Amino acid sequence: MDRPLTRNIHADRRPIDLRGYRDNGGYEGLRVGLGLSPADCLQRIKDSNLRGRGGAGFPTGLKWSFVPMGEDCSPGHKYLICNADEMEPGTFKDRLLLECDPHQLIEGMILAAYTIGADVAYIFIRSEYHIAAQRLREGIVDCEREGLLGDNIQGSGYSLHMHVHASAGRYICGEETALISSLEGKRANPRAKPPFPQVSGLWGRPTIVNNVETLSNIAHIIERGPQWFNDLGLTEDAGTKMYGVSGRVKNPGCWELPMGTPIRTVLEEYAGGMADGYELRGFLPGGGSTDFLTADHLDLAMDYDTIGKAGSRLGTGTLIVLDDATCPVGFVKNLMDFFAQESCGFCTPCRDGLPWSAQVLDDIENGQGKPEDLDTLERQVEFIGAIGNTHCALAPGAMEPLQSALKYFRADFEAHINQGCCPWKARQ
Ligand SMILES: Cc1cc2nc3c(=O)[nH]c(=O)nc-3n(C[C@H](O)[C@H](O)[C@H](O)COP(=O)(O)O)c2cc1C
Ligand code: SF4
């Protein structure tokens, strides 16, 4: 099985340095890419059908094509930003790529920046990812020394300066326009779109924000071609995917597998199935802000369209498993507490609605719920969950686990209200 993203990652998770990376064929994609025009590089990424791995699955080549290029672009800086914030609950795929193979990301970023004509690139990294940040900084210095970054890269005439910027540590900093505000030194509030960052982003200049996993794919696609990348996927979606599983399974972890691998294969073959004594009740397929799916969905392909049609989202592709010994109300309440705390406070439905939802869930979990609370939660799901009622996707995302829990685990909510206690706690 071809696993381009993790080919340099070993079980002991020791990082690969510049020398080791080059010995294993690294920076060959850069050599190929710098020999092509930016337009040819863009065409390769478009033809590869790579979709952004940050959660929304937006086509990467299409996004890049919105950046004004050539005569369309007024003189001045253009920016590339790698989104390495990774604060989505249950998501730890980017960390592996950042810590173990920093040069794969750096090489992909140089090629992405070359394609869109950016002269400055930032890696905006989660504040807790100290090890990854250090390895990236060392990698950048090594590249500068070898002429792979800085002025006139490899004699090509193209120059790029790259910097690592640690986040101040809020989930909203991962939203691309809030990230840009934060990088500018402002409060991390999301911005209205349009204008989109591709046209007016960092300091009002054309800016591309891409996820770590997205950018880690770029050098491979440039070097090995779009058809190779398309052929990696098992379904319509191209490439491989970093899948992860957390919760009460035998072998929680993170694996690179062909895009479209069945959920059952990820859960049973790679995560080893449920831990002894526990049954599967459901799972969030792509991090904490996706809708629950259940055992009935296990044979679905883990790709963007299939999971979307099943009523959820592929999101980050990292499953969070709900087992039969865990209270689904408490599970959802825990997530709602997180999202309420992480609201940037800019718009009322999110700032006030999420703590209200968390309080109603807290009441139900603690045996003080009333039958009408379920109607309140349904109304909040409908209003706060509607795209367009809030300024960014944090609030609708926060509603996804709740709305699907009310659909699949409604009897559990009712049991709490009818019995005046949490049945799981009562059993302990
Ligand atoms: C609240 C919130 C948090 C987000 N956090 C991240 C994150 O940590 N990493 C990430 O890549 N994308 C995150 N996103 C998505 C980004 O806004 C953006 O779509 C993504 O970085 C684009 O990269 P891609 O096209 O490569 O997927 C978040 C979105 C929202 C609404
Ligand atoms: S939805 Fe929440 S996080 Fe997003 S802008 Fe509104 S208050 Fe801020």
Side-chain angles (χ1 to χ4, degrees):
M1 191 188 295
D2 205 348
R3 293 190 169 109
L5 293 176
T6 51
R7 75 197 191 294
N8 289 326
I9 299 183
H10 307 281
D12 63 5
R13 296 178 60 179
R14 66 179 184 276
I16 187 162
D17 62 8
L18 178 55
R19 192 165 167 190
Y21 185 74
R22 286 188 117 168
D23 286 349
N24 209 11
Y27 288 102
E28 184 56 19
L30 181 64
R31 190 191 63 75
V32 173
L34 291 178
L36 299 171
S37 69
D40 287 342
C41 289
L42 177 62
Q43 198 56 49
R44 284 195 185 194
I45 300 303
K46 277 184 170 172
D47 292 344
S48 75
N49 293 312
L50 171 66
R51 295 175 69 167
R53 307 301 200 225
F58 193 82
T60 305
L62 182 62
K63 187 193 244 189
W64 292 6
S65 70
F66 298 143
V67 174
M69 303 202 201
E71 289 174 7
D72 288 346
C73 191
S74 58
H77 293 297
K78 283 195 265 180
Y79 298 102
L80 173 74
I81 301 174
C82 170
N83 190 343
D85 197 51
E86 194 162 67
M87 275 190 70
E88 181 69 21
T91 300
F92 43 87
K93 66 182 182 73
D94 294 341
R95 180 178 178 183
L96 193 70
L97 298 174
L98 290 160
E99 283 187 4
C100 299
D101 201 355
H103 283 286
Q104 176 171 243
L105 174 64
I106 294 170
E107 185 183 9
M109 287 184 68
I110 302 170
L111 282 163
Y114 171 71
T115 305
I116 61 165
D119 56 340
V120 183
Y122 292 96
I123 302 170
F124 186 96
I125 191 163
R126 180 178 172 154
S127 58
E128 290 89 352
Y129 283 5
H130 307 290
I131 296 171
Q134 184 56 28
R135 289 178 183 168
L136 286 162
R137 287 194 183 100
E138 286 166 8
I140 290 170
V141 169
D142 288 347
C143 282
E144 286 168 345
R145 199 174 39 239
E146 299 275 321
L148 293 161
L149 269 175
D151 293 333
N152 191 20
I153 294 173
Q154 302 289 285
S156 65
Y158 173 64
S159 303
L160 177 71
H161 296 271
M162 192 176 288
H163 311 278
V164 177
H165 179 97
S167 166
R170 297 307 303 265
Y171 173 58
I172 193 58
C173 290
E175 195 281 333
E176 61 180 6
T177 59
L179 184 158
I180 288 170
S181 298
S182 171
L183 204 49
E184 288 179 359
K186 300 181 180 132
R187 181 174 167 158
N189 280 348
R191 298 177 178 183
K193 294 192 257 187
F196 289 91
Q198 295 92 311
V199 178
S200 177
L202 190 63
W203 291 296
R205 298 294 306 167
T207 303
I208 284 291
V209 181
N210 273 133
N211 171 259
V212 172
E213 187 184 346
T214 312
L215 290 165
S216 295
N217 275 298
I218 300 301
H220 302 293
I221 297 170
I222 296 292
E223 186 189 344
R224 301 175 74 173
Q227 192 54 51
W228 162 81
F229 191 73
N230 274 285
D231 290 345
L232 289 176
L234 298 180
T235 56
E236 290 292 297
D237 275 333
T240 59
K241 178 80 192 77
M242 299 294 294
Y243 295 112
V245 180
S246 61
R248 282 191 171 118
V249 290
K250 287 200 181 90
N251 180 33
C254 187
W255 308 271
E256 181 187 14
L257 299 171
M259 178 65 93
T261 298
I263 301 169
R264 189 184 294 284
T265 306
V266 179
L267 204 54
E268 294 180 0
E269 210 173 297
Y270 288 89
M274 297 303 291
D276 291 340
Y278 298 100
E279 296 285 327
L280 176 77
R281 287 210 69 199
F283 56 91
L284 305 175
S289 56
T290 57
D291 284 86
F292 277 103
L293 295 176
T294 67
D296 292 342
H297 300 105
L298 284 179
D299 292 314
L300 295 182
M302 282 279 279
D303 67 27
Y304 292 99
D305 293 344
T306 310
I307 300 297
K309 281 184 196 138
S312 186
R313 290 188 301 116
L314 181 64
T316 56
T318 46
L319 286 94
I320 308 176
V321 169
L322 171 70
D323 61 83
D324 62 341
T326 301
C327 170
V329 177
F331 185 104
V332 173
K333 182 194 111 52
N334 186 32
L335 285 171
M336 193 62 79
D337 283 343
F338 170 80
F339 292 122
Q341 175 185 297
E342 295 298 326
S343 166
C344 84
F346 183 80
C347 41
T348 310
C350 178
R351 183 189 60 240
D352 292 346
L354 299 189
W356 184 9
S357 304
Q359 183 59 56
V360 175
L361 286 166
D362 191 60
D363 289 346
I364 296 174
E365 173 67 354
N366 288 314
Q368 282 144 22
K370 303 178 283 304
E372 56 270 31
D373 284 347
L374 296 185
D375 299 330
T376 305
L377 289 177
E378 296 278 14
R379 276 201 305 278
Q380 285 170 339
V381 161
E382 202 178 322
F383 183 69
I384 304 170
I387 300 289
N389 281 356
T390 55
H391 197 51
C392 87
L394 185 147
M399 287 294 131
E400 292 187 22
L402 173 59
Q403 73 174 358
S404 48
L406 288 168
K407 177 170 150 195
Y408 292 119
F409 311 119
R410 198 177 181 89
D412 298 295
F413 284 77
E414 288 166 351
H416 281 72
I417 294 168
N418 295 338
Q419 295 172 28
C421 66
C422 169
W424 276 264
K425 285 189 193 141
R427 268 185 235 145
Q428 284 165 4

